Amino acid sequence: MLVNLLIAYVCYEACRLAFFFENWSFYSATMTWANFWQLSRGGLLFDTAAICFTNSLYLVLALWPFWQQNRVYRTVTKWAFVLPNTVAVVICLMDSVYFGFTQQRVTANVFTEFQNENNLGRIFGVELLSHWYFLLLAVVLVALLYKGYRTAKVVNRITHAVWLLIMVPLAIAGMRGATFRTATRPISMNDAYRYADKPADTYVVLNTPFSLIKTFGHKGIATPRFFDSQAELDSIYSPVHYPVEGAVPQKKNVVILIVESFAEEFIGSRNRHLDGGKYRGYTPFADSLLAQSLTWEHTFCNSWTSIDAMPAVLASIPQMFDPFVLSPFSVNKINSLATELGKWGYQTAFFHGAENQSMGFHAFSQAAGYQHYYGREEYYADKRFGGKNDFDGTWGIWDEPFLQYFCTKMTDMKQPFLTTVFTLSSHHPYAIPEKYKNVFKDEGIHKLHKCIRYTDHALRRFFESAAKQPWYKNTIFVLSADHASSKTTHAEYKTEVGDYRIPILFFDPSGQLPRECRKGVAQQIDIMPTLLGHLGYDRPYIAFGIDLLNTPAEKTWAFNWHQWPQFIQGNYSLITDGQHVTGFYDYVGDPLLKHNLKDKGLPQQDSMERQLQAFIQCYMQRMKANDVTMDNQKKENKQ
């Protein structure tokens, strides 16, 4: 069995080499053989996952304690190995050719993209003739699978049973990315960034069976054609941002705090109307910080889960139909605050107190251009802190000590810097440090509330320490929740609008930014363009949000998509099924969304529907074309 699996690994590596040589012109300028072998080593993780998935039936049949002496059974076992691996070889070699047209690995979207084409047979025939050498290679590899296959000697049933009990969990771990840890989610395409410095290199790390398996079943949609004219589409919505006219560049430090499950309902100062005016919330420090910060009347997340927050906050990429990092677009080349400020000479670092591969944050931070990553392992290595004594027993380092570590590490950095921290304590299993169990108790209806109170305390301690540092007054702080919470208790926070309400604030200790609550709507994807606009960033870039400081209140908006797309502007929320409006509500005057105003003649409905359609079409067009940086824009301008 092990020999047979080794043959499968050989086939995958042969296909990787074939992919590399076939696309030599794409890589020759930047790739060395040393780089290639380094990427290949990383690719073993993804090869293992693909091999464990495609050979799962073979593994069970080969180790099943019964019928091993039956000739038919042994023949079936052999073909359970040969056939899936033959399919894997064929699609890998086909994708080596197809990559030249798409410059990305094939994903499950290919089945919807070409479902109505009737000329594929002719196309495949032409490509087969022009790539005859791949046909020969396929024959060689399939022959290796067939001729090299080894039938195990029959041993006693107990031995088979023992090996079956050993191999099943090992195979499951292989599918997950060679890990048993429940705190680490299974690897996705985005994890290729753990081994690649450039987006193009991720395609060498990946293999096509893995890409297909990991995107199969995702709801990927065809690019809608609401607008046939590109000019009309661009006139309604464009994600291209240009330098603010007359802006003076100022290279202030930027510190972004993404706070786990910090729903707006928990913020007392945003909810004085609740419970007959008696509600005070669970965040006395956040309340005081909001009073000194710039925020907006209505602030929303674009994310539904934690893994959606980083793309939204740091790269101005919202969740569309699927989480971005689990979508086929996750290995697209993107720009972010880190890539743009990195061009300006900023040092950049991302902090998260969990195991380094937890939630795929490390991988996305690399994709987003962060130069350094600090997680649980780095915290343990810093002797100035409590090491393993500060582990919460489930996820990572408690928020209070990790935020102190975050503050200290920034003092070690050269200015200007961009740093981001993602907290974790306000999360299931809803625990807080032992020393605070008699301080934060019976805080509310749900166990999460005491964790929110603890995290708010940790934020207070962080700002107290930060205020003593030499970089403090030359820094802009941004605080945003990663998403809202399912543990909200008031009805208005359980609606399609309330589900996305979070705090978003910009705090400037120097007082340069105004300290007020402005009219209008703000969302996570606005953070990147708003910061770059305020800093006077002098280069064009792509971001799907808007610059809040240079956009009139009536033109601010928010978008989110969990079950269905929703567009929020002014006092209204528009909900669609992807094609047609299903709901239109005055969420300010009707916070429980009881009265559907769809087709009541309100002029805002048509305008908002067109904006939503333009946003979705633009997003899909650019993502599918891997056109979400200025690189392609510059090529188009030259043409």
Side-chain angles (χ1 to χ4, degrees), residues 300-302 521-523 526 556-560 566-569:
F300 298 96
C301 59
N302 306 101
V521 174
Q523 58 187 327
D526 297 337
T556 58
W557 51 271
F559 165 86
N560 39 62
Q566 176 173 226
F567 191 82
I568 298 169
Q569 189 171 47

Side-chain angles (χ1 to χ4, degrees), residues 255-464:
V255 174
I256 299 175
L257 300 105
I258 304 175
V259 187
E260 173 69 45
S261 301
F262 221 55
E264 184 177 284
E265 187 198 52
F266 305 145
I267 313 297
S269 59
R270 302 282 281 188
N271 295 284
R272 296 303 188 201
H273 61 289
L274 294 179
D275 298 344
K278 297 179 181 179
Y279 185 78
R280 292 294 176 267
Y282 310 100
T283 60
F285 174 71
D287 289 331
S288 66
L289 188 64
L290 267 166
Q292 303 175 59
S293 302
L294 174 62
T295 189
W296 280 260
E297 272 185 321
H298 307 289
T299 48
F300 298 96
C301 59
N302 306 101
S303 52
W304 186 254
T305 62
S306 295
I307 58 175
D308 296 315
M310 284 179 66
V313 173
L314 306 178
S316 194
I317 297 174
Q319 176 192 353
M320 192 62 68
F321 48 89
D322 273 331
F324 175 75
V325 299
L326 301 181
S327 76
F329 312 132
S330 63
V331 289
N332 281 4
K333 183 177 182 181
I334 62 174
N335 47 212
S336 70
L337 279 167
T339 61
E340 301 312 299
L341 293 182
K343 297 172 186 175
W344 245 17
Y346 275 63
Q347 275 199 311
T348 59
F350 186 87
F351 294 75
H352 183 52
E355 179 186 335
N356 283 17
Q357 306 310 329
S358 175
M359 303 294 290
F361 289 171
H362 190 186
F364 183 80
S365 73
Q366 290 180 288
Y370 277 85
Q371 298 156 0
H372 306 286
Y373 185 93
Y374 297 97
R376 194 171 82 190
E377 288 83 351
E378 289 75 17
Y379 181 87
Y380 286 167
D382 195 322
K383 302 304 181 184
R384 294 173 292 183
F385 295 88
K388 295 182 179 180
N389 292 330
D390 294 329
F391 178 52
D392 67 8
T394 304
W395 291 107
I397 309 303
W398 295 112
D399 282 351
E400 183 179 8
F402 195 76
L403 287 174
Q404 293 299 309
Y405 170 73
F406 176 51
C407 180
T408 300
K409 293 296 290 185
M410 284 190 284
T411 302
D412 296 339
M413 295 174 68
K414 180 182 177 182
Q415 299 186 57
F417 54 72
L418 161 70
T419 59
T420 303
V421 66
F422 203 128
T423 70
L424 54 71
S425 291
S426 44
H427 196 287
H428 183 273
Y430 312 121
I432 60 175
E434 188 67 32
K435 66 179 180 179
Y436 289 116
K437 288 190 173 178
N438 291 322
V439 178
F440 305 121
K441 59 180 181 178
D442 300 326
E443 294 295 338
I445 298 173
H446 195 273
K447 293 178 181 178
L448 173 62
H449 292 148
K450 70 176 182 295
C451 302
I452 294 294
R453 183 79 85 178
Y454 165 71
T455 293
D456 183 70
H457 167 76
L459 290 169
R460 180 191 299 277
R461 293 271 293 108
F462 165 75
F463 276 94
E464 287 172 351

Side-chain angles (χ1 to χ4, degrees), residues 114-274:
F114 297 110
Q115 61 184 352
N116 297 316
E117 300 295 332
N118 54 18
N119 62 345
L120 295 182
R122 181 175 59 82
I123 293 173
F124 286 142
V126 171
E127 292 301 327
L128 183 64
L129 290 175
S130 61
H131 295 87
W132 55 268
Y133 45 88
F134 274 174
L135 180 59
L136 291 180
L137 178 58
V139 170
V140 170
L141 294 179
V142 173
L144 176 62
L145 289 167
Y146 185 81
K147 295 291 187 180
Y149 180 85
R150 294 291 178 265
T151 301
K153 294 179 180 179
V154 179
V155 293
N156 63 72
R157 291 178 179 178
I158 294 176
T159 302
H160 273 276
V162 169
W163 273 104
L164 182 64
L165 291 173
I166 292 173
M167 286 303 299
V168 166
L170 287 177
I172 293 172
M175 295 174 188
R176 289 177 50 83
T179 181
F180 292 102
R181 299 184 180 95
T182 56
T184 302
R185 66 174 173 82
I187 57 170
S188 63
M189 291 175 64
N190 185 252
D191 284 284
Y193 277 106
R194 286 156 54 182
Y195 309 98
D197 295 326
K198 299 187 290 294
D201 293 351
T202 62
Y203 304 122
V204 178
V205 176
L206 293 166
N207 61 74
T208 308
F210 178 86
S211 301
L212 286 169
I213 290 166
K214 282 297 181 176
T215 55
F216 188 77
H218 285 258
K219 295 181 290 186
I221 58 173
T223 302
R225 297 296 300 178
F226 297 116
F227 306 94
D228 292 326
S229 164
Q230 187 64 42
E232 183 183 11
L233 176 62
D234 291 342
S235 70
I236 300 172
Y237 173 77
S238 172
V240 180
H241 292 256
Y242 295 97
V244 177
E245 187 174 348
V248 178
Q250 50 175 339
K251 296 186 177 181
K252 285 196 165 191
N253 306 313
V254 176
V255 174
I256 299 175
L257 300 105
I258 304 175
V259 187
E260 173 69 45
S261 301
F262 221 55
E264 184 177 284
E265 187 198 52
F266 305 145
I267 313 297
S269 59
R270 302 282 281 188
N271 295 284
R272 296 303 188 201
H273 61 289
L274 294 179

